[in-house]
Amino acid sequence: MQIGNVGKSNFTKAVKALLNRIYDNTVVADSLYEQAALWFSQAAEREQQRAEREQQVFLFKDRQAQASKGDQALIERNLQQAVSEQERFSQQLQQEQLSRYETLRQLCSDILALSEGGSFEETNLQTAKMLGTIQLMSPTEGKNVAPSNQKSKHLYKALLSLRLLDRLLIDGDINHPYIVKRYQANAKTSAEDLYQPFRDDVQIPLLMAALLQDIGSCHPDAQLILKGVSGDLDEFRILENDERTELLKISYRESLNFFVQGIGIGAYHGNSKEQRDWYLQNEREKQAFVVFLLKNAIKPEQGAGNLLKIPQIYTSVVLSTKANYSYESLPKVGLVLEKGVEKGIYSPVAVAGLLKITGVFPQGYGITYIPKDSDRQDLDRYEYAIVTSLYPENPRTPVCRMVTRNLTYNVSAQGCVVSVDNNLYYPQARKKLERISEERLLEILSKLVSNFEERKSMALLPKCWHPEEYFSYSKNQNLWNKAVINQN
């Protein structure tokens, strides 16, 4: 393994910061999911305080109606004080709601800024970089896999939702009038305009919906199912059918509740009544769009809810929190989606669109492959590569960055498209190396792993490799700069 400084590049730090703003576990409790958990936990107290203030106002109004003239002044003062307290309480709730809205809107805006470029190609490169970074920062073995994937899946899914939207719009497979209207309106704007209909009214609300889709699982009733009365159950265990059904109901209901009641809409700042009326109407339409996406994602059929549903399924496999998680099996995500299409569960158009973007091998996945010599003949060894690009020409032939050459780790600008015949994930490629002696295969392994004595029991013909340790060195984190792509 290459020697260097363990750390994070600026881009890796930026992705990590976004993940922390979405889902974290800290003393300050300022991540989106922590804020939702706090809001849910305070619901009963909020309602009690609201009821008490309403009761106070009601009582003083009732006394005022029945009191003698001499008591009117005192009761009026008490009534005004009760009304003021009620208004202050209401304003405080509105201010907290608006603060959550602005925090979420800024989070989505920052995700968009990091994942988008000046062209279709640049945007796909930036998104591949983000998806790959999330995967490469995630542990692939051990007890931390589930908690880490739980934290990372919301951003990962949100990025896939954005790119699936692009694909379906390009192919003319989105007919939702709200989306189409904003998409077409964007052609009439310039890059300098503060208001961008497609970005502000479609992309950011879609990101909001993707991030909030599972946030209802923070509700105490959901946590009771996941962790039990004493809080000591494994939240990542396989649930009984009735538990799972109840959890899904709670999560769906409370996700909607948090978005509508806990997030709300933006506030207008300005003095124009006409602009305020337009702004508030637009905010209500955006809110209705997010609600539609969250509701439609349950049974989207061929509708816009697939923008959430299909990325959710993909992410649930690639960043699985199940006990049977197997890094080696991640490329089976394509089969999971295609089987769902065969059964009539998933939209064939949305699945085809997503797999056209991602291919079979997830971004950041460790590929083991047989290299070729200058005469295009297979060599008697395998090397390591990492998947680094969206939109492979063939879903089964990933575009990768070479990580080793001649069994030596090498930071180079060499990339490759790995063919099915030379990708050790596939049986026909492994068959090619079966004639090589065990001693030679052990020699190859000894050069590629840092702890050979511990790992010499590994498969001599590995279907993949785990690049987490390699990526932990900051100098190995720039896998997406320009590379010469070779066919392999």
Side-chain angles (χ1 to χ4, degrees), residues 325-345:
Y325 169 88
S326 164
Y327 181 76
E328 188 180 275
S329 300
L330 296 194
K332 289 182 180 176
V333 64
L335 293 175
V336 171
L337 288 171
E338 286 165 353
K339 196 154 278 189
V341 170
E342 287 174 20
K343 291 179 179 178
I345 303 171

Side-chain angles (χ1 to χ4, degrees), residues 32-269:
L32 177 62
Y33 273 65
E34 287 171 306
Q35 285 295 299
L38 187 64
W39 188 81
F40 288 134
S41 69
Q42 294 173 341
E45 184 185 344
R46 268 196 315 274
E47 288 311 307
Q48 183 183 345
Q49 289 191 37
R50 184 183 284 126
E52 286 174 357
R53 283 161 174 76
E54 285 179 1
Q55 180 73 2
Q56 281 287 91
V57 171
F58 173 80
L59 286 173
F60 284 122
K61 281 183 177 178
D62 189 52
R63 285 181 194 173
Q64 190 179 44
Q66 300 176 32
S68 63
K69 271 191 176 183
D71 294 332
Q72 285 286 346
L74 177 60
I75 292 172
E76 177 64 25
R77 281 198 301 274
N78 288 336
L79 174 60
Q80 289 305 317
Q81 184 179 348
V83 169
S84 294
E85 285 181 9
Q86 186 184 40
E87 287 175 352
R88 271 198 301 273
F89 179 69
S90 179
Q91 286 170 0
Q92 180 190 340
L93 292 183
Q94 286 177 358
Q95 196 56 47
E96 289 172 358
Q97 183 190 57
L98 184 60
S99 175
R100 284 189 294 268
Y101 173 88
E102 286 299 333
T103 299
L104 177 59
R105 188 198 59 77
Q106 188 59 56
L107 171 61
C108 293
S109 181
D110 292 345
I111 291 170
L112 208 54
L114 197 62
S115 62
E116 301 261 315
S119 66
F120 183 70
E121 290 74 20
E122 283 180 26
T123 292
N124 286 318
L125 175 64
Q126 283 296 106
T127 303
K129 194 172 178 180
M130 287 185 74
L131 292 169
T133 297
I134 292 169
Q135 176 68 75
L136 287 160
M137 285 194 299
S138 303
T140 55
E141 297 172 302
K143 63 181 181 181
N144 292 324
V145 170
S148 176
N149 286 351
Q150 175 81 351
K151 178 174 180 170
S152 301
K153 67 180 183 179
H154 312 289
L155 178 57
Y156 197 96
K157 176 183 64 178
L159 293 168
L160 291 179
S161 293
L162 279 179
R163 300 292 72 87
L164 181 58
L165 173 64
D166 293 345
R167 183 71 259 154
L168 297 182
L169 280 168
I170 290 168
D171 293 342
D173 289 322
I174 287 271
N175 55 18
H176 191 281
Y178 178 93
I179 298 174
V180 173
K181 181 182 176 183
R182 265 67 175 185
Y183 184 58
Q184 292 171 344
N186 230 54
K188 300 172 187 173
T189 63
S190 67
E192 292 76 34
D193 291 344
L194 286 176
Y195 170 60
Q196 300 282 336
F198 184 62
R199 178 196 66 196
D200 298 337
D201 298 348
V202 178
Q203 289 181 307
I204 286 179
L206 175 61
L207 285 172
M208 286 182 173
L211 296 179
L212 295 173
Q213 189 178 10
D214 303 316
I215 208 161
S217 62
C218 296
H219 191 276
D221 292 347
Q223 289 295 301
L224 187 62
I225 294 172
L226 289 169
K227 296 182 179 179
V229 177
S230 304
D232 56 358
L233 293 180
D234 177 13
E235 63 182 301
F236 304 114
R237 73 192 185 283
I238 296 174
L239 298 176
E240 299 294 334
N241 282 338
D242 58 339
E243 287 180 316
R244 187 172 181 277
T245 301
E246 186 62 20
L247 177 65
L248 290 173
K249 282 182 185 175
I250 294 167
S251 182
Y252 168 71
R253 181 186 70 232
E254 297 303 334
S255 292
L256 281 169
N257 187 28
F258 178 68
F259 173 66
V260 175
Q261 303 296 331
I263 300 291
I265 62 174
Y268 172 73
H269 302 287

